[in-house]
Amino acid sequence: QVQVVESGGGLVQAGGSLRLSCAASGGIFSGYTMGWFRRAPGKGREFVAAINWSERTTRYADSVKGRFTISRDNAENTVDLQMNDLKPEDTAVYYCNAVNTPAMLPLFDSWGQGTQVIVSS
């Protein structure tokens, strides 16, 4: 089965940093654009960042551009999200998925459990 496991979340103060990691298996990773989505309290899931397979071209939501950096290690089947200068509005549960471009929508219906990020003021 397709499976992703997200990790690295936690509680940080505004201005702090976290590094999230997504480990993929079951056929979700190789050849796919991968990305991160998040769900803030009381809101729906939204796109955060994506990176493609070969060229490592990246795309970011405007709200995180310049603060977050997505990367991937194709040999390890992992995709990371380095989050710097975190803001309270970044508080959310973060999820990993393959990404359907150019709409930047999740490709698969199955989701991991996500990893929670809480940013205090």
Side-chain angles (χ1 to χ4, degrees), residues 61-117:
D62 289 342
S63 60
V64 306
K65 187 177 297 183
R67 299 187 297 118
F68 291 10
T69 302
I70 189 171
S71 61
R72 69 191 298 165
D73 187 334
N74 291 345
E76 298 292 334
N77 288 356
T78 58
V79 56
D80 290 358
L81 185 69
Q82 178 66 46
M83 305 186 296
N84 297 327
D85 192 23
L86 283 162
K87 302 177 179 180
E89 50 264 43
D90 295 318
T91 295
V93 178
Y94 285 71
Y95 301 88
C96 180
N97 207 322
V99 179
N100 186 4
T101 58
M104 300 301 162
L105 297 172
L107 186 60
F108 297 104
D109 292 332
S110 60
W111 295 87
Q113 291 185 291
T115 185
Q116 183 171 265
V117 172

Side-chain angles (χ1 to χ4, degrees), residues 7-53:
S7 62
L11 173 63
V12 298
Q13 297 182 42
S17 298
L18 285 172
R19 188 176 182 89
L20 308 184
S21 184
C22 169
S25 63
I28 178 174
F29 194 88
S30 297
Y32 290 99
T33 294
M34 297 294 296
W36 290 89
F37 300 81
R38 67 186 182 186
R39 178 177 288 169
K43 297 183 178 180
R45 188 175 286 111
E46 66 174 344
F47 167 78
V48 176
I51 182 168
N52 73 0
W53 167 251

